[in-house]
Amino acid sequence: MMLFGKISQQLCGLKKLPWSCDSRFFWGWLNAVFNKVDYERIRDVGPDRAASEWLLRCGATVRYQGQERWQKDYNNLPTGSLDKYKIQAIDATDSCIMNIGFDYMEGLQHVEKIRLCKCHYIEDECLQRLSQLENLQNSLLEMEIITCGNITDNGIIALHHLRNLRYLLLRDLPGVKEKENLVKVFKTALPSMELELQLK
């Protein structure tokens, strides 16, 4: 703790960080660090625990199977048997999750709902990657994508690979332009899915 305090004091004493012209660069760099995948950690503690740590570190919340309460605090992650806690839902509202961290999702087998709201780093590649994960193709039932400015039609169309998706909400996505085409694609690929569009 003392070491961190000393480093913090030194950084605060600098008028301008030498490697950054702008605080956005620093936050982007820090968020990339939070998203870096630790494959050894996934092996050691299992995919659900490792993904929980990643998601909470980035500001998201998770809900485990059989629980009503959302896990929000990284320091209060449950301990005990690693097989006991399986992620059932993810709420990434205002989080800094980004494409480089999505390998954490690969081993998740029980995720039924994902909410991406105001996720500034979520881009088409993230949705394309997510839709290619076989476990999510089998388990994911509901998805909400709200106010994610970097998402376009290409990212949304990729979601048709999530073959068990029953509900998809799309709201306030300025990069999504061809609503009629989306409706057509999903009606063909996922005819029983409810598609709710709240787009301009």
mmCIF file of all heavy atoms in Angstrom, residues 115-124 127 143-157 159 168-179 182 186 195-200:
data_model
loop_
_atom_site.group_PDB
_atom_site.id
_atom_site.type_symbol
_atom_site.label_atom_id
_atom_site.label_comp_id
_atom_site.label_asym_id
_atom_site.label_seq_id
_atom_site.Cartn_x
_atom_site.Cartn_y
_atom_site.Cartn_z
ATOM 1 N N ARG A 115 -26.597 -7.779 -21.003
ATOM 2 C CA ARG A 115 -27.033 -6.396 -21.229
ATOM 3 C C ARG A 115 -25.799 -5.535 -21.464
ATOM 4 O O ARG A 115 -24.919 -5.441 -20.608
ATOM 5 C CB ARG A 115 -27.793 -5.890 -20.004
ATOM 6 C CG ARG A 115 -28.340 -4.493 -20.162
ATOM 7 C CD ARG A 115 -29.232 -4.166 -18.954
ATOM 8 N NE ARG A 115 -30.304 -3.304 -19.336
ATOM 9 C CZ ARG A 115 -30.340 -1.989 -19.089
ATOM 10 N NH1 ARG A 115 -29.338 -1.424 -18.457
ATOM 11 N NH2 ARG A 115 -31.360 -1.273 -19.472
ATOM 12 N N LEU A 116 -25.735 -4.928 -22.639
ATOM 13 C CA LEU A 116 -24.652 -4.005 -22.987
ATOM 14 C C LEU A 116 -25.269 -2.619 -23.102
ATOM 15 O O LEU A 116 -25.990 -2.335 -24.053
ATOM 16 C CB LEU A 116 -24.012 -4.411 -24.317
ATOM 17 C CG LEU A 116 -23.421 -5.821 -24.401
ATOM 18 C CD1 LEU A 116 -22.975 -6.138 -25.814
ATOM 19 C CD2 LEU A 116 -22.273 -5.994 -23.421
ATOM 20 N N CYS A 117 -25.004 -1.771 -22.127
ATOM 21 C CA CYS A 117 -25.603 -0.439 -22.089
ATOM 22 C C CYS A 117 -24.520 0.600 -21.818
ATOM 23 O O CYS A 117 -23.789 0.487 -20.834
ATOM 24 C CB CYS A 117 -26.687 -0.396 -21.013
ATOM 25 S SG CYS A 117 -27.493 1.194 -20.839
ATOM 26 N N LYS A 118 -24.412 1.572 -22.693
ATOM 27 C CA LYS A 118 -23.413 2.644 -22.563
ATOM 28 C C LYS A 118 -21.999 2.071 -22.450
ATOM 29 O O LYS A 118 -21.206 2.494 -21.614
ATOM 30 C CB LYS A 118 -23.723 3.532 -21.369
ATOM 31 C CG LYS A 118 -25.054 4.234 -21.461
ATOM 32 C CD LYS A 118 -25.316 5.055 -20.224
ATOM 33 C CE LYS A 118 -26.727 5.607 -20.238
ATOM 34 N NZ LYS A 118 -27.092 6.226 -18.973
ATOM 35 N N CYS A 119 -21.712 1.104 -23.281
ATOM 36 C CA CYS A 119 -20.388 0.482 -23.312
ATOM 37 C C CYS A 119 -19.594 1.140 -24.436
ATOM 38 O O CYS A 119 -19.763 0.798 -25.610
ATOM 39 C CB CYS A 119 -20.507 -1.018 -23.545
ATOM 40 S SG CYS A 119 -21.398 -1.892 -22.246
ATOM 41 N N HIS A 120 -18.723 2.074 -24.089
ATOM 42 C CA HIS A 120 -18.027 2.881 -25.081
ATOM 43 C C HIS A 120 -17.008 2.096 -25.901
ATOM 44 O O HIS A 120 -16.624 2.523 -26.986
ATOM 45 C CB HIS A 120 -17.335 4.068 -24.409
ATOM 46 C CG HIS A 120 -18.290 4.944 -23.673
ATOM 47 N ND1 HIS A 120 -19.266 5.671 -24.309
ATOM 48 C CD2 HIS A 120 -18.457 5.185 -22.343
ATOM 49 C CE1 HIS A 120 -19.981 6.341 -23.405
ATOM 50 N NE2 HIS A 120 -19.508 6.056 -22.216
ATOM 51 N N TYR A 121 -16.549 0.963 -25.394
ATOM 52 C CA TYR A 121 -15.526 0.196 -26.102
ATOM 53 C C TYR A 121 -16.100 -0.985 -26.886
ATOM 54 O O TYR A 121 -15.359 -1.710 -27.530
ATOM 55 C CB TYR A 121 -14.470 -0.315 -25.121
ATOM 56 C CG TYR A 121 -13.718 0.795 -24.437
ATOM 57 C CD1 TYR A 121 -14.016 1.165 -23.124
ATOM 58 C CD2 TYR A 121 -12.717 1.498 -25.097
ATOM 59 C CE1 TYR A 121 -13.330 2.196 -22.492
ATOM 60 C CE2 TYR A 121 -12.032 2.536 -24.481
ATOM 61 C CZ TYR A 121 -12.348 2.870 -23.174
ATOM 62 O OH TYR A 121 -11.663 3.892 -22.559
ATOM 63 N N ILE A 122 -17.411 -1.185 -26.806
ATOM 64 C CA ILE A 122 -18.033 -2.284 -27.537
ATOM 65 C C ILE A 122 -18.192 -1.877 -29.003
ATOM 66 O O ILE A 122 -18.766 -0.846 -29.311
ATOM 67 C CB ILE A 122 -19.400 -2.667 -26.920
ATOM 68 C CG1 ILE A 122 -19.206 -3.283 -25.538
ATOM 69 C CG2 ILE A 122 -20.168 -3.619 -27.829
ATOM 70 C CD1 ILE A 122 -18.547 -4.638 -25.540
ATOM 71 N N GLU A 123 -17.659 -2.718 -29.887
ATOM 72 C CA GLU A 123 -17.707 -2.465 -31.325
ATOM 73 C C GLU A 123 -18.259 -3.706 -32.022
ATOM 74 O O GLU A 123 -18.516 -4.723 -31.382
ATOM 75 C CB GLU A 123 -16.298 -2.158 -31.839
ATOM 76 C CG GLU A 123 -15.671 -0.952 -31.180
ATOM 77 C CD GLU A 123 -14.198 -0.784 -31.537
ATOM 78 O OE1 GLU A 123 -13.492 -1.796 -31.678
ATOM 79 O OE2 GLU A 123 -13.782 0.365 -31.664
ATOM 80 N N ASP A 124 -18.405 -3.600 -33.333
ATOM 81 C CA ASP A 124 -18.936 -4.727 -34.110
ATOM 82 C C ASP A 124 -18.145 -6.006 -33.865
ATOM 83 O O ASP A 124 -18.717 -7.086 -33.760
ATOM 84 C CB ASP A 124 -18.914 -4.394 -35.605
ATOM 85 C CG ASP A 124 -19.940 -3.338 -35.980
ATOM 86 O OD1 ASP A 124 -20.886 -3.111 -35.194
ATOM 87 O OD2 ASP A 124 -19.800 -2.737 -37.054
ATOM 88 N N LEU A 127 -19.390 -8.046 -30.922
ATOM 89 C CA LEU A 127 -20.618 -8.807 -31.155
ATOM 90 C C LEU A 127 -20.353 -9.983 -32.090
ATOM 91 O O LEU A 127 -20.918 -11.072 -31.910
ATOM 92 C CB LEU A 127 -21.705 -7.905 -31.727
ATOM 93 C CG LEU A 127 -22.155 -6.741 -30.835
ATOM 94 C CD1 LEU A 127 -23.325 -6.006 -31.473
ATOM 95 C CD2 LEU A 127 -22.520 -7.203 -29.438
ATOM 96 N N MET A 143 -30.853 -10.638 -24.934
ATOM 97 C CA MET A 143 -29.769 -9.685 -25.087
ATOM 98 C C MET A 143 -30.345 -8.291 -25.266
ATOM 99 O O MET A 143 -31.350 -8.112 -25.957
ATOM 100 C CB MET A 143 -28.912 -10.061 -26.288
ATOM 101 C CG MET A 143 -27.643 -9.278 -26.376
ATOM 102 S SD MET A 143 -26.434 -10.149 -27.363
ATOM 103 C CE MET A 143 -25.019 -9.137 -27.067
ATOM 104 N N GLU A 144 -29.716 -7.325 -24.602
ATOM 105 C CA GLU A 144 -30.100 -5.925 -24.741
ATOM 106 C C GLU A 144 -28.854 -5.124 -25.099
ATOM 107 O O GLU A 144 -27.829 -5.245 -24.434
ATOM 108 C CB GLU A 144 -30.687 -5.387 -23.429
ATOM 109 C CG GLU A 144 -31.949 -6.100 -22.992
ATOM 110 C CD GLU A 144 -32.457 -5.616 -21.646
ATOM 111 O OE1 GLU A 144 -31.823 -4.720 -21.026
ATOM 112 O OE2 GLU A 144 -33.495 -6.131 -21.193
ATOM 113 N N ILE A 145 -28.973 -4.308 -26.156
ATOM 114 C CA ILE A 145 -27.861 -3.451 -26.570
ATOM 115 C C ILE A 145 -28.407 -2.032 -26.637
ATOM 116 O O ILE A 145 -29.284 -1.731 -27.451
ATOM 117 C CB ILE A 145 -27.284 -3.893 -27.928
ATOM 118 C CG1 ILE A 145 -26.883 -5.372 -27.864
ATOM 119 C CG2 ILE A 145 -26.087 -3.028 -28.301
ATOM 120 C CD1 ILE A 145 -26.461 -5.957 -29.192
ATOM 121 N N ILE A 146 -27.895 -1.177 -25.758
ATOM 122 C CA ILE A 146 -28.463 0.159 -25.569
ATOM 123 C C ILE A 146 -27.334 1.195 -25.545
ATOM 124 O O ILE A 146 -26.361 1.045 -24.792
ATOM 125 C CB ILE A 146 -29.260 0.226 -24.242
ATOM 126 C CG1 ILE A 146 -30.347 -0.849 -24.223
ATOM 127 C CG2 ILE A 146 -29.849 1.607 -24.018
ATOM 128 C CD1 ILE A 146 -30.912 -1.143 -22.842
ATOM 129 N N THR A 147 -27.470 2.234 -26.326
ATOM 130 C CA THR A 147 -26.559 3.384 -26.317
ATOM 131 C C THR A 147 -25.087 2.956 -26.398
ATOM 132 O O THR A 147 -24.264 3.366 -25.597
ATOM 133 C CB THR A 147 -26.811 4.265 -25.065
ATOM 134 O OG1 THR A 147 -28.210 4.404 -24.852
ATOM 135 C CG2 THR A 147 -26.211 5.648 -25.242
ATOM 136 N N CYS A 148 -24.803 2.118 -27.367
ATOM 137 C CA CYS A 148 -23.422 1.728 -27.653
ATOM 138 C C CYS A 148 -23.092 2.323 -29.026
ATOM 139 O O CYS A 148 -23.443 1.749 -30.063
ATOM 140 C CB CYS A 148 -23.268 0.211 -27.654
ATOM 141 S SG CYS A 148 -23.552 -0.566 -26.052
ATOM 142 N N GLY A 149 -22.438 3.464 -29.030
ATOM 143 C CA GLY A 149 -22.275 4.268 -30.233
ATOM 144 C C GLY A 149 -21.400 3.690 -31.319
ATOM 145 O O GLY A 149 -21.437 4.166 -32.452
ATOM 146 N N ASN A 150 -20.602 2.661 -31.014
ATOM 147 C CA ASN A 150 -19.704 2.091 -32.019
ATOM 148 C C ASN A 150 -20.289 0.876 -32.730
ATOM 149 O O ASN A 150 -19.612 0.248 -33.549
ATOM 150 C CB ASN A 150 -18.368 1.702 -31.374
ATOM 151 C CG ASN A 150 -17.632 2.909 -30.847
ATOM 152 O OD1 ASN A 150 -17.616 3.962 -31.486
ATOM 153 N ND2 ASN A 150 -17.035 2.787 -29.678
ATOM 154 N N ILE A 151 -21.525 0.525 -32.412
ATOM 155 C CA ILE A 151 -22.171 -0.638 -33.015
ATOM 156 C C ILE A 151 -22.863 -0.225 -34.314
ATOM 157 O O ILE A 151 -23.566 0.781 -34.353
ATOM 158 C CB ILE A 151 -23.218 -1.243 -32.048
ATOM 159 C CG1 ILE A 151 -22.546 -1.740 -30.769
ATOM 160 C CG2 ILE A 151 -24.019 -2.354 -32.708
ATOM 161 C CD1 ILE A 151 -21.642 -2.912 -30.941
ATOM 162 N N THR A 152 -22.669 -1.022 -35.360
ATOM 163 C CA THR A 152 -23.356 -0.770 -36.629
ATOM 164 C C THR A 152 -24.190 -1.997 -37.002
ATOM 165 O O THR A 152 -24.224 -2.992 -36.269
ATOM 166 C CB THR A 152 -22.345 -0.485 -37.766
ATOM 167 O OG1 THR A 152 -21.664 -1.703 -38.094
ATOM 168 C CG2 THR A 152 -21.345 0.586 -37.375
ATOM 169 N N ASP A 153 -24.813 -1.930 -38.170
ATOM 170 C CA ASP A 153 -25.623 -3.050 -38.663
ATOM 171 C C ASP A 153 -24.823 -4.350 -38.711
ATOM 172 O O ASP A 153 -25.358 -5.421 -38.428
ATOM 173 C CB ASP A 153 -26.159 -2.730 -40.062
ATOM 174 C CG ASP A 153 -27.033 -1.499 -40.070
ATOM 175 O OD1 ASP A 153 -26.500 -0.372 -40.080
ATOM 176 O OD2 ASP A 153 -28.263 -1.652 -40.061
ATOM 177 N N ASN A 154 -23.542 -4.260 -39.086
ATOM 178 C CA ASN A 154 -22.714 -5.469 -39.216
ATOM 179 C C ASN A 154 -22.617 -6.240 -37.903
ATOM 180 O O ASN A 154 -22.681 -7.469 -37.888
ATOM 181 C CB ASN A 154 -21.313 -5.109 -39.703
ATOM 182 C CG ASN A 154 -21.315 -4.604 -41.120
ATOM 183 O OD1 ASN A 154 -22.187 -4.953 -41.902
ATOM 184 N ND2 ASN A 154 -20.356 -3.760 -41.458
ATOM 185 N N GLY A 155 -22.439 -5.528 -36.801
ATOM 186 C CA GLY A 155 -22.350 -6.188 -35.503
ATOM 187 C C GLY A 155 -23.672 -6.833 -35.099
ATOM 188 O O GLY A 155 -23.704 -7.962 -34.603
ATOM 189 N N ILE A 156 -24.772 -6.113 -35.332
ATOM 190 C CA ILE A 156 -26.091 -6.633 -34.954
ATOM 191 C C ILE A 156 -26.440 -7.869 -35.784
ATOM 192 O O ILE A 156 -26.925 -8.873 -35.251
ATOM 193 C CB ILE A 156 -27.180 -5.539 -35.118
ATOM 194 C CG1 ILE A 156 -26.873 -4.325 -34.228
ATOM 195 C CG2 ILE A 156 -28.555 -6.108 -34.819
ATOM 196 C CD1 ILE A 156 -26.824 -4.597 -32.745
ATOM 197 N N ILE A 157 -26.192 -7.808 -37.086
ATOM 198 C CA ILE A 157 -26.527 -8.942 -37.962
ATOM 199 C C ILE A 157 -25.789 -10.210 -37.530
ATOM 200 O O ILE A 157 -26.328 -11.313 -37.617
ATOM 201 C CB ILE A 157 -26.248 -8.590 -39.440
ATOM 202 C CG1 ILE A 157 -27.342 -7.641 -39.935
ATOM 203 C CG2 ILE A 157 -26.171 -9.827 -40.314
ATOM 204 C CD1 ILE A 157 -27.125 -7.069 -41.303
ATOM 205 N N LEU A 159 -25.418 -11.354 -34.725
ATOM 206 C CA LEU A 159 -26.114 -12.005 -33.611
ATOM 207 C C LEU A 159 -27.091 -13.089 -34.062
ATOM 208 O O LEU A 159 -27.590 -13.844 -33.236
ATOM 209 C CB LEU A 159 -26.847 -10.958 -32.761
ATOM 210 C CG LEU A 159 -25.946 -9.891 -32.116
ATOM 211 C CD1 LEU A 159 -26.792 -8.865 -31.375
ATOM 212 C CD2 LEU A 159 -24.918 -10.521 -31.190
ATOM 213 N N LEU A 168 -34.358 -9.809 -28.227
ATOM 214 C CA LEU A 168 -33.271 -8.887 -28.526
ATOM 215 C C LEU A 168 -33.824 -7.466 -28.520
ATOM 216 O O LEU A 168 -34.735 -7.155 -29.289
ATOM 217 C CB LEU A 168 -32.643 -9.202 -29.891
ATOM 218 C CG LEU A 168 -31.539 -8.266 -30.391
ATOM 219 C CD1 LEU A 168 -30.348 -8.263 -29.423
ATOM 220 C CD2 LEU A 168 -31.080 -8.660 -31.787
ATOM 221 N N LEU A 169 -33.288 -6.629 -27.631
ATOM 222 C CA LEU A 169 -33.666 -5.221 -27.562
ATOM 223 C C LEU A 169 -32.525 -4.382 -28.127
ATOM 224 O O LEU A 169 -31.379 -4.516 -27.704
ATOM 225 C CB LEU A 169 -33.937 -4.811 -26.112
ATOM 226 C CG LEU A 169 -34.058 -3.305 -25.840
ATOM 227 C CD1 LEU A 169 -35.269 -2.697 -26.535
ATOM 228 C CD2 LEU A 169 -34.106 -3.020 -24.345
ATOM 229 N N LEU A 170 -32.850 -3.515 -29.073
ATOM 230 C CA LEU A 170 -31.882 -2.583 -29.648
ATOM 231 C C LEU A 170 -32.428 -1.174 -29.447
ATOM 232 O O LEU A 170 -33.487 -0.839 -29.966
ATOM 233 C CB LEU A 170 -31.693 -2.863 -31.150
ATOM 234 C CG LEU A 170 -31.270 -4.285 -31.527
ATOM 235 C CD1 LEU A 170 -31.252 -4.450 -33.034
ATOM 236 C CD2 LEU A 170 -29.924 -4.633 -30.923
ATOM 237 N N ARG A 171 -31.679 -0.353 -28.672
ATOM 238 C CA ARG A 171 -32.154 1.001 -28.375
ATOM 239 C C ARG A 171 -31.011 2.006 -28.492
ATOM 240 O O ARG A 171 -29.906 1.762 -28.018
ATOM 241 C CB ARG A 171 -32.722 1.049 -26.954
ATOM 242 C CG ARG A 171 -33.229 2.440 -26.564
ATOM 243 C CD ARG A 171 -33.595 2.555 -25.082
ATOM 244 N NE ARG A 171 -34.587 1.576 -24.714
ATOM 245 C CZ ARG A 171 -34.663 1.031 -23.478
ATOM 246 N NH1 ARG A 171 -33.804 1.359 -22.545
ATOM 247 N NH2 ARG A 171 -35.606 0.159 -23.209
ATOM 248 N N ASP A 172 -31.318 3.136 -29.123
ATOM 249 C CA ASP A 172 -30.386 4.263 -29.200
ATOM 250 C C ASP A 172 -29.013 3.833 -29.741
ATOM 251 O O ASP A 172 -27.999 3.966 -29.063
ATOM 252 C CB ASP A 172 -30.258 4.928 -27.826
ATOM 253 C CG ASP A 172 -29.416 6.193 -27.870
ATOM 254 O OD1 ASP A 172 -29.366 6.840 -28.940
ATOM 255 O OD2 ASP A 172 -28.788 6.529 -26.847
ATOM 256 N N LEU A 173 -29.024 3.302 -30.941
ATOM 257 C CA LEU A 173 -27.788 2.865 -31.606
ATOM 258 C C LEU A 173 -27.651 3.662 -32.910
ATOM 259 O O LEU A 173 -28.142 3.235 -33.960
ATOM 260 C CB LEU A 173 -27.826 1.361 -31.899
ATOM 261 C CG LEU A 173 -28.001 0.440 -30.683
ATOM 262 C CD1 LEU A 173 -28.210 -0.994 -31.122
ATOM 263 C CD2 LEU A 173 -26.825 0.560 -29.734
ATOM 264 N N PRO A 174 -27.002 4.829 -32.853
ATOM 265 C CA PRO A 174 -26.945 5.697 -34.029
ATOM 266 C C PRO A 174 -26.226 5.082 -35.228
ATOM 267 O O PRO A 174 -26.460 5.485 -36.374
ATOM 268 C CB PRO A 174 -26.210 6.952 -33.529
ATOM 269 C CG PRO A 174 -25.552 6.558 -32.256
ATOM 270 C CD PRO A 174 -26.333 5.414 -31.692
ATOM 271 N N GLY A 175 -25.377 4.093 -35.013
ATOM 272 C CA GLY A 175 -24.655 3.454 -36.112
ATOM 273 C C GLY A 175 -25.473 2.422 -36.862
ATOM 274 O O GLY A 175 -25.068 1.942 -37.922
ATOM 275 N N VAL A 176 -26.641 2.072 -36.318
ATOM 276 C CA VAL A 176 -27.519 1.099 -36.974
ATOM 277 C C VAL A 176 -28.478 1.866 -37.879
ATOM 278 O O VAL A 176 -29.282 2.662 -37.406
ATOM 279 C CB VAL A 176 -28.280 0.246 -35.934
ATOM 280 C CG1 VAL A 176 -29.271 -0.675 -36.619
ATOM 281 C CG2 VAL A 176 -27.294 -0.553 -35.091
ATOM 282 N N LYS A 177 -28.379 1.622 -39.184
ATOM 283 C CA LYS A 177 -29.114 2.434 -40.167
ATOM 284 C C LYS A 177 -30.220 1.672 -40.887
ATOM 285 O O LYS A 177 -31.207 2.248 -41.296
ATOM 286 C CB LYS A 177 -28.143 2.980 -41.228
ATOM 287 C CG LYS A 177 -26.957 3.733 -40.664
ATOM 288 C CD LYS A 177 -27.351 5.055 -40.084
ATOM 289 C CE LYS A 177 -26.115 5.863 -39.672
ATOM 290 N NZ LYS A 177 -26.436 6.987 -38.839
ATOM 291 N N GLU A 178 -30.043 0.362 -41.079
ATOM 292 C CA GLU A 178 -30.961 -0.385 -41.943
ATOM 293 C C GLU A 178 -31.874 -1.289 -41.122
ATOM 294 O O GLU A 178 -31.723 -2.515 -41.102
ATOM 295 C CB GLU A 178 -30.166 -1.185 -42.962
ATOM 296 C CG GLU A 178 -29.300 -0.305 -43.852
ATOM 297 C CD GLU A 178 -28.442 -1.098 -44.811
ATOM 298 O OE1 GLU A 178 -28.788 -2.256 -45.133
ATOM 299 O OE2 GLU A 178 -27.404 -0.559 -45.241
ATOM 300 N N LYS A 179 -32.864 -0.671 -40.484
ATOM 301 C CA LYS A 179 -33.780 -1.411 -39.600
ATOM 302 C C LYS A 179 -34.541 -2.508 -40.348
ATOM 303 O O LYS A 179 -34.704 -3.612 -39.842
ATOM 304 C CB LYS A 179 -34.768 -0.457 -38.934
ATOM 305 C CG LYS A 179 -34.128 0.470 -37.926
ATOM 306 C CD LYS A 179 -35.162 1.286 -37.198
ATOM 307 C CE LYS A 179 -35.528 2.498 -38.030
ATOM 308 N NZ LYS A 179 -36.393 3.448 -37.316
ATOM 309 N N LEU A 182 -32.489 -5.549 -40.858
ATOM 310 C CA LEU A 182 -32.316 -6.301 -39.613
ATOM 311 C C LEU A 182 -33.537 -7.169 -39.336
ATOM 312 O O LEU A 182 -33.409 -8.350 -38.977
ATOM 313 C CB LEU A 182 -32.100 -5.347 -38.436
ATOM 314 C CG LEU A 182 -30.769 -4.603 -38.356
ATOM 315 C CD1 LEU A 182 -30.746 -3.704 -37.129
ATOM 316 C CD2 LEU A 182 -29.610 -5.572 -38.323
ATOM 317 N N PHE A 186 -33.384 -11.306 -39.072
ATOM 318 C CA PHE A 186 -33.757 -12.041 -37.859
ATOM 319 C C PHE A 186 -35.028 -12.861 -38.046
ATOM 320 O O PHE A 186 -35.177 -13.926 -37.462
ATOM 321 C CB PHE A 186 -33.874 -11.095 -36.667
ATOM 322 C CG PHE A 186 -32.538 -10.653 -36.136
ATOM 323 C CD1 PHE A 186 -32.116 -9.336 -36.251
ATOM 324 C CD2 PHE A 186 -31.678 -11.560 -35.546
ATOM 325 C CE1 PHE A 186 -30.877 -8.936 -35.781
ATOM 326 C CE2 PHE A 186 -30.424 -11.176 -35.071
ATOM 327 C CZ PHE A 186 -30.031 -9.861 -35.190
ATOM 328 N N LEU A 195 -37.986 -9.304 -31.459
ATOM 329 C CA LEU A 195 -37.051 -8.220 -31.747
ATOM 330 C C LEU A 195 -37.714 -6.899 -31.405
ATOM 331 O O LEU A 195 -38.721 -6.543 -31.998
ATOM 332 C CB LEU A 195 -36.636 -8.234 -33.228
ATOM 333 C CG LEU A 195 -35.708 -7.130 -33.710
ATOM 334 C CD1 LEU A 195 -34.373 -7.172 -32.980
ATOM 335 C CD2 LEU A 195 -35.485 -7.237 -35.222
ATOM 336 N N GLU A 196 -37.153 -6.181 -30.436
ATOM 337 C CA GLU A 196 -37.704 -4.887 -30.049
ATOM 338 C C GLU A 196 -36.733 -3.803 -30.500
ATOM 339 O O GLU A 196 -35.601 -3.719 -30.028
ATOM 340 C CB GLU A 196 -37.899 -4.820 -28.525
ATOM 341 C CG GLU A 196 -38.601 -3.561 -28.087
ATOM 342 C CD GLU A 196 -38.942 -3.547 -26.593
ATOM 343 O OE1 GLU A 196 -38.928 -4.622 -25.942
ATOM 344 O OE2 GLU A 196 -39.195 -2.448 -26.073
ATOM 345 N N LEU A 197 -37.190 -2.973 -31.422
ATOM 346 C CA LEU A 197 -36.359 -1.908 -31.973
ATOM 347 C C LEU A 197 -36.823 -0.561 -31.449
ATOM 348 O O LEU A 197 -37.974 -0.180 -31.617
ATOM 349 C CB LEU A 197 -36.449 -1.897 -33.503
ATOM 350 C CG LEU A 197 -35.917 -3.118 -34.235
ATOM 351 C CD1 LEU A 197 -36.155 -2.980 -35.721
ATOM 352 C CD2 LEU A 197 -34.445 -3.329 -33.956
ATOM 353 N N GLN A 198 -35.922 0.156 -30.798
ATOM 354 C CA GLN A 198 -36.181 1.522 -30.362
ATOM 355 C C GLN A 198 -35.056 2.380 -30.926
ATOM 356 O O GLN A 198 -34.216 2.900 -30.215
ATOM 357 C CB GLN A 198 -36.255 1.600 -28.835
ATOM 358 C CG GLN A 198 -37.375 0.777 -28.247
ATOM 359 C CD GLN A 198 -37.397 0.814 -26.732
ATOM 360 O OE1 GLN A 198 -36.762 1.631 -26.090
ATOM 361 N NE2 GLN A 198 -38.141 -0.112 -26.143
ATOM 362 N N LEU A 199 -35.056 2.444 -32.248
ATOM 363 C CA LEU A 199 -34.011 3.143 -32.973
ATOM 364 C C LEU A 199 -34.616 4.318 -33.747
ATOM 365 O O LEU A 199 -35.772 4.259 -34.141
ATOM 366 C CB LEU A 199 -33.338 2.187 -33.974
ATOM 367 C CG LEU A 199 -32.758 0.898 -33.388
ATOM 368 C CD1 LEU A 199 -32.334 -0.041 -34.505
ATOM 369 C CD2 LEU A 199 -31.576 1.206 -32.490
ATOM 370 N N LYS A 200 -33.812 5.336 -33.986
ATOM 371 C CA LYS A 200 -34.286 6.488 -34.757
ATOM 372 C C LYS A 200 -34.236 6.189 -36.230
ATOM 373 O O LYS A 200 -33.441 5.460 -36.717
ATOM 374 C CB LYS A 200 -33.435 7.724 -34.442
ATOM 375 C CG LYS A 200 -33.662 8.221 -33.037
ATOM 376 C CD LYS A 200 -32.805 9.437 -32.756
ATOM 377 C CE LYS A 200 -33.015 9.905 -31.321
ATOM 378 N NZ LYS A 200 -32.160 10.984 -30.928
#
